Amino acid sequence: MAAQFGRRLRRGATSGAIVAAAVAALAASQGPGAIPPPTDNLSGDTAIGAGDATAPHGGGGAGGSATGDSPYYTDLPPLNPPKVPGVAPTAPQVPIVTGPAAAGIPATVLAAYQRAEAAIRASDPSCNLPWQLLAGIGKVESGQASGGRVDGNGTTLTPILGPALDGNGFALIQDTDDGAFDGDTTHDRALGPMQFIPSTWAVWGQDANGDGKKDPQNVYDAAQAAGMYLCAGGRNLAIKADLDKAILSYNRSTEYLTTVLNWFEYYGRGAHTVPDGTGQLPVDRSDRPAPGRPSVPVSPSSPASPSPRPSQDRPSPKPTDPATTPPSKPAEPTKPPTADPSRPDVGTPVEVPPTLRVARLKAGTATLTAVTGSTFAQAASVTAVDAAGRPVAGVSVRFVLPATTDARFPAGATTVTVTSDARGVAEAPALRAGEKAASFTIRATVPGRSSLPTAELKATVEVRKADALTRVGDTALTAETGARYADVTVESRLAGALAPGVTVTAVITDSATSDAQSADGPSFGKDAAGNPIRTKVLKTDAQGRLVVAGLVAGQKAGDYVLLLTAPGGGTAKVALKVTAPATTPPATPDPTEEPTTDPAPTSSTSPSTSPSTIWSWVT
């Protein structure tokens, strides 16, 4: 032990400066892309006990610590780190395949730390949680889940349990879970790879591996819960003061703080994976026996306590002899620690963030409706409530539009995130319908809580309607074949009011009784291939009017109809007449007139004409 104690002194002399540099470098490496988030459940869920939004001591265990100040491993990293001592890393540390045994982290355990970092970076990027901090705490609390003795799902092969917190050398914490987690119906025990006590787990427990359970013995669930606990209260772990507060809130011990920081720095300089179950096991623990007190046999790999049984099945206590049994001293309730100005987080209840308190998003059942091109009269909104149905303020809610709609939030956004108000209501900004008439579903979620049920809001975009179409003016429309008609103006109304933005279909038909397109009648011009266009879609303007322009008569004379129809039943029929062009008959001679004949051309060789003779008819 002397050598070990001396090593602690040597490490402690430099760890403050080294860790401060490591914190800054690790925080700088937490930008997007450092560790890609997995495709399955990242965010997990949290359970709120008995319908309450808080647990004893704010869900922070005895006096505010996550572990109830249970014992921990005090082994320190070797003096020779994986990289040059005193040089802070300048880039994200990618696990290497070889290296010192102390730097090896079991593969599943390391994956759980990195997944927790990625999830919390997505839901709370300002926290700047590095996975190396989780690795430092996991090393100190359980020796990385007893050297990685976990199954493929991340659950420990043998439950990890701390000693009974009976006040005998530890905090006194009476049973809070009826033995459900720790098998102890008298006192609580710290649980799992990250050593949460039951009351803390009841608030912060997560389902990070997506198996439908919040299991403190599962390294994925426990790592995620630990990360969220460390980030509570708006902490920024890139700031040394916040980092210290976070670690002290986990276990109120200066030696614990120093030990975790040393491992944090060590893993920040490089780490590598080792097969599950082959991680280096720590030796020294903080629960070394005090004088006159027997050692408490606690081992992370010790057999689990018996499963709890219903109260009626519990064995009755064995009778005792009053003459030989000393009177028992009543257990004193746990007292919160005395406030220490230099360690403000010690003894301070941890505030449960709104994101963890919310149990569901409650959406209304009414369908949101709008007509094409208009703003929805109602805003998309949900109410964030806890397990007891009480509103939760300050919850971030994300509203997402499906790809099937062209409706948009302001600035053309398809996704918006808003915060719930004091009533727990999160209301999205005004939604504007596009030109596509269809029903769709808006989905509301809580970022970082993907296991919460998604709230769905139904929305429908309807076409604008007109129940009446009326031509303005009554001038007959007649044109010769190939000639152009005068423009036609039509007014649309709905329930007597002008109807702007209504889509009107115009078709040239052969008669007032037909709605089929004519093969020979007038047209709206020709398409690129030179074919006549006899069907056209128009829209009424802001005054509810439209102008049919460019109508050209066909090559076949006859009577035709311009048929106009609108959604809602509005119809108008305008007669179109095509006439043949006028023809000029040959002129008839006047019998009173004598024909005039031009004289034959003179010729110097003609024997029958004289150059000086001119023939003419005189009337």
Side-chain angles (χ1 to χ4, degrees):
M1 286 302 297
Q4 175 76 2
F5 182 72
R7 184 176 69 177
R8 289 179 187 158
L9 291 179
R10 292 194 300 273
R11 296 288 294 174
T14 60
S15 63
I18 295 175
V19 169
V23 169
L26 284 169
S29 74
Q30 303 308 310
I35 299 176
T39 57
D40 56 353
N41 178 33
L42 286 176
S43 305
D45 194 6
T46 184
I48 308 297
D52 199 350
T54 59
H57 309 290
S65 72
T67 64
D69 297 334
S70 294
Y72 56 90
Y73 288 106
T74 58
D75 294 40
L76 288 170
L79 289 174
N80 297 320
K83 294 194 175 183
V84 180
V87 178
T90 58
Q93 296 300 306
V94 178
I96 55 179
V97 295
T98 60
I105 300 177
T108 299
V109 179
L110 177 59
Y113 296 151
Q114 292 178 329
R115 178 181 295 191
E117 180 207 69
I120 294 171
R121 185 175 69 237
S123 62
D124 186 9
S126 62
C127 175
N128 291 303
L129 172 74
W131 67 260
Q132 291 89 343
L133 177 59
L134 296 175
I137 291 176
K139 179 71 172 181
V140 169
E141 292 293 347
S142 67
Q144 309 298 19
S146 302
R149 297 186 69 247
V150 296
D151 62 19
N153 197 38
T155 302
T156 57
L157 300 179
T158 304
I160 299 175
L161 297 172
L165 298 174
D166 57 5
N168 187 18
F170 313 110
L172 173 60
I173 303 181
Q174 304 290 352
D175 175 59
T176 62
D177 66 333
D178 199 27
F181 285 118
D182 54 16
D184 191 331
T185 59
T186 304
H187 299 97
D188 274 344
R189 297 169 181 260
L191 308 158
M194 304 304 279
Q195 290 289 278
F196 282 98
I197 57 174
S199 61
T200 310
W201 186 257
V203 174
W204 298 89
Q206 299 291 298
D207 174 21
N209 64 346
D211 64 357
K213 298 182 293 184
K214 294 178 279 288
D215 185 1
Q217 300 291 346
N218 182 277
V219 68
Y220 288 102
D221 296 356
Q224 175 111 354
M228 300 185 82
Y229 184 91
L230 293 167
C231 291
R235 295 190 188 106
N236 179 358
L237 301 183
I239 300 173
K240 184 62 166 62
D242 279 6
L243 177 67
D244 288 353
K245 291 176 184 178
I247 297 172
L248 288 171
S249 76
Y250 212 89
N251 192 306
R252 305 167 301 162
S253 164
T254 302
E255 184 179 2
Y256 179 87
L257 170 66
T258 301
T259 306
V260 170
L261 286 175
N262 272 278
W263 281 107
F264 171 48
E265 170 221 337
Y266 184 76
Y267 289 133
R269 293 173 178 275
H272 63 276
T273 58
V274 296
D276 289 344
T278 65
Q280 187 180 70
L281 295 173
V283 178
D284 293 334
R285 288 180 67 96
S286 62
D287 59 338
R288 293 185 295 272
R293 177 173 176 267
S295 174
V296 179
V298 179
S299 170
S301 57
S302 62
S305 299
S307 300
R309 291 174 292 181
S311 57
Q312 62 268 27
D313 294 335
R314 293 179 190 147
S316 302
K318 295 181 180 180
T320 55
D321 185 352
T324 59
T325 303
S328 60
K329 182 179 179 180
E332 296 181 0
T334 303
K335 297 179 180 179
T338 304
D340 183 347
S342 65
R343 293 160 60 189
D345 265 19
V346 176
T348 302
V350 177
E351 178 185 358
V352 182
T355 299
L356 288 181
R357 290 176 54 205
V358 64
R360 68 187 180 98
L361 297 177
K362 186 168 60 175
T365 56
T367 298
L368 308 175
T369 58
V371 294
T372 53
S374 69
T375 300
F376 280 77
Q378 293 177 296
S381 67
V382 295
T383 302
V385 297
D386 63 16
R390 295 176 298 224
V392 182
V395 178
S396 292
V397 177
R398 179 177 297 153
F399 294 89
V400 180
L401 298 174
T404 55
T405 181
D406 58 354
R408 293 293 182 265
F409 293 115
T414 58
T415 301
V416 294
T417 302
V418 297
T419 303
S420 62
D421 59 19
R423 302 167 298 154
V425 175
E427 184 174 286
L431 178 63
R432 186 170 181 81
E435 296 303 317
K436 185 185 294 185
S439 296
F440 60 93
T441 300
I442 306 170
R443 289 176 168 78
T445 60
V446 177
R449 295 288 306 282
S450 61
S451 64
L452 281 180
T454 299
E456 296 186 344
L457 299 93
K458 302 299 181 182
T460 297
V461 177
E462 300 176 344
V463 295
R464 292 176 178 267
K465 297 178 181 180
D467 55 18
L469 295 178
T470 307
R471 181 189 173 194
V472 178
D474 58 1
T475 303
L477 298 175
T478 302
E480 291 184 353
T481 55
R484 181 169 174 167
Y485 289 95
D487 292 348
V488 179
T489 301
V490 175
E491 190 174 76
S492 66
R493 291 182 179 271
L494 179 64
L498 292 172
V502 177
T503 300
V504 176
T505 302
V507 181
I508 306 298
T509 68
D510 289 329
S511 70
T513 59
S514 173
D515 58 3
Q517 177 179 288
S518 172
D520 304 303
S523 68
F524 300 101
K526 295 183 179 181
D527 60 19
N531 300 313
I533 301 171
R534 294 191 171 95
T535 298
K536 193 171 186 178
V537 177
L538 307 167
K539 182 177 288 188
T540 60
D541 60 18
Q543 286 72 44
R545 290 189 171 191
L546 63 82
V547 176
V548 182
L551 268 173
V552 179
Q555 298 302 315
K556 184 177 180 180
D559 293 322
Y560 301 92
V561 171
L562 169 63
L563 175 63
L564 301 165
T565 58
T571 303
K573 298 178 181 180
V574 181
L576 302 174
K577 188 175 186 65
V578 179
T579 61
T583 58
T584 303
T588 302
D590 189 341
T592 62
E593 294 182 355
E594 294 182 8
T596 301
T597 304
D598 290 336
T602 60
S603 173
S604 60
T605 60
S606 175
S608 59
T609 59
S610 171
S612 61
T613 302
I614 299 177
W615 296 89
S616 65
W617 290 94
V618 178
T619 303

